[in-house]
Amino acid sequence: MHNVVSRDEIAPSVVRMVVEAPAVASKRLPGQFVVVRPLEVSERIPLTIVDSEPASGTITLIVQVVGATTRELTSIQPGENILDVVGPLGRPTHIEKFGRVVSIGGGVGTAVAFPIAKGMKEAGNEVWGVIGGRSRDFVILEDEMRSLCDRLVVTTDDGSYGVKGFVTDALRRLIEETSGAIDLVLAVGPLPMMKAVSALTREHGIHTVVSLNPIMVDGTGMCGGCRVEVGGEIKFACVDGPEFDAHLVDFDNLAKRLRAYHDMEQQADHQCKIGLATRNKQ
Ligand code: NAD
Ligand code: FES
């Protein structure tokens, strides 16, 4: 059992939860994730560890409500418990002094871009951040990114805040401005965004890493649910990743696999809403 210490909605349908998990907090490294089962009836879902405080034994998770399990998880209030939190899992981000690193977060992907940017900064890199959201309300972790980045660009699709456009538009401008003098790009967000970043940096020969989030079940390499094609080989995101060389990832194949579960997820979410409404009435 893992006590929820705090819970706040940081964007529409995006909830930050600080959770007691001392064993995870003391060991986790940037880029790693936990597999969470909120309630007895729930499925397991992977969530990146956004931050940790070993002294208080807590980890921070950011959850976008997209289906049944995330709905069940975010219904848990401070003082209540999450059933299972297993981790840290996955390979940590490869961190060293690369030089100039651009960490890009598209929407909720910023929850993953932030700990990577923090690790890169601590390793002595010049870190630039690019974070974006559909509109002002969907930009998350701006203060946290600003406090560690040497430079930060914020974009919104509708221009309601920061620079109008996609994060990829901002990246293109940074590449032009520096004539490609960027040593590493890290990109996390929706698949079309990571694919677009990858296409852009390939043109300029800039090494690029993406963090993938396919469906995961056990998170330990046993079920095969998280398989992705990288450089023509099958890899399991939970044990071989979740970070991979963007220029080798088959994004179209991954998108097809994610779409295959869409109807089942919608049905499960519908049942979940009914279940939670019944529980709240009792
Ligand atoms: P969103 O659809 O609102 O997009 C966020 C931003 O990404 C946009 O503001 C834009 O700047 C950029 N973007 C979107 N589509 C683009 C395109 N075609 N080309 C270029 N840029 C584009 O995102 P959201 O609703 O916040 O969802 C976040 C997504 O990130 C979800 O799909 C989620 O699965 C994914 N995610 C991934 C990880 C991971 O580890 N890879 C972690 C958390 C979330
Ligand atoms: Fe089962 Fe990766 S989640 S193999």
Side-chain angles (χ1 to χ4, degrees):
M1 291 284 192
H2 298 267
N3 194 253
V4 174
V5 177
S6 69
R7 176 200 181 283
D8 60 319
E9 192 157 344
I10 58 171
S13 298
V14 180
V15 175
R16 173 168 45 201
M17 302 177 91
V18 176
V19 176
E20 278 178 5
V24 180
S26 64
K27 280 191 283 193
R28 61 72 60 162
L29 291 167
Q32 289 188 297
F33 64 92
V34 283
V35 166
V36 175
R37 185 160 67 120
L39 309 171
E40 198 84 53
V41 294
S42 308
E43 292 186 356
R44 294 176 170 80
I45 48 163
L47 288 169
T48 298
I49 306 162
V50 181
D51 215 342
S52 61
E53 267 196 40
S56 58
T58 56
I59 57 170
T60 303
L61 304 174
I62 290 183
V63 190
Q64 185 178 36
V65 182
V66 288
T69 315
T70 48
R71 198 174 294 285
E72 285 156 359
L73 177 58
T74 53
S75 74
I76 300 174
Q77 299 300 315
E80 297 179 343
N81 292 318
I82 296 174
L83 184 65
D84 290 334
V85 177
V86 177
L89 299 170
R91 287 173 186 246
T93 306
H94 173 75
I95 290 182
E96 62 173 67
K97 190 162 177 187
F98 292 96
R100 180 177 292 152
V101 173
V102 180
S103 183
I104 309 175
V108 187
T110 307
V112 186
F114 166 68
I116 297 174
K118 194 172 171 187
M120 288 294 174
K121 184 67 190 169
E122 284 165 5
N125 289 288
E126 178 185 354
V127 176
W128 291 2
V130 179
I131 59 173
R134 271 168 264 165
S135 64
R136 184 183 188 132
D137 289 348
F138 291 89
V139 174
I140 64 165
L141 300 180
E142 181 185 352
D143 291 347
E144 289 82 349
M145 285 293 279
R146 204 171 285 289
S147 71
L148 69 90
C149 289
D150 297 284
R151 182 174 177 184
L152 181 70
V153 183
V154 182
T155 65
T156 50
D157 304 4
D158 64 359
S160 55
Y161 187 61
V163 184
K164 188 174 191 306
F166 283 171
V167 285
T168 40
D169 299 321
L171 176 65
R172 180 177 289 108
R173 281 192 292 273
L174 293 179
I175 293 173
E176 282 165 7
E177 184 197 303
T178 59
S179 306
I182 292 171
D183 299 293
L184 174 67
V185 167
L186 297 142
V188 194
L191 269 189
M193 173 221 132
M194 294 192 283
K195 185 180 171 186
V197 167
S198 176
L200 180 58
T201 56
R202 186 187 281 114
E203 272 174 45
H204 297 272
I206 302 171
H207 181 41
T208 301
V209 170
V210 287
S211 177
L212 302 180
N213 67 333
I215 303 270
M216 286 192 193
V217 182
D218 62 322
T220 59
M222 305 289 284
C223 71
C226 67
R227 66 183 180 274
V228 289
E229 212 176 305
V230 182
E233 289 177 31
I234 297 297
K235 300 277 181 190
F236 293 155
C238 66
V239 287
D240 300 320
E243 291 169 20
F244 295 100
D245 182 335
H247 299 157
L248 300 179
V249 171
D250 186 336
F251 289 102
D252 295 335
N253 185 278
L254 179 53
K256 210 161 78 187
R257 277 182 61 74
L258 288 175
R259 274 196 303 271
Y261 298 100
H262 181 262
D263 289 353
M264 273 181 274
E265 284 172 353
Q266 296 281 307
Q267 259 177 17
D269 193 27
H270 180 65
Q271 293 302 325
C272 169
K273 282 182 196 160
I274 296 170
L276 287 176
T278 313
R279 198 181 74 164
N280 290 340
K281 270 193 216 149
Q282 284 167 353

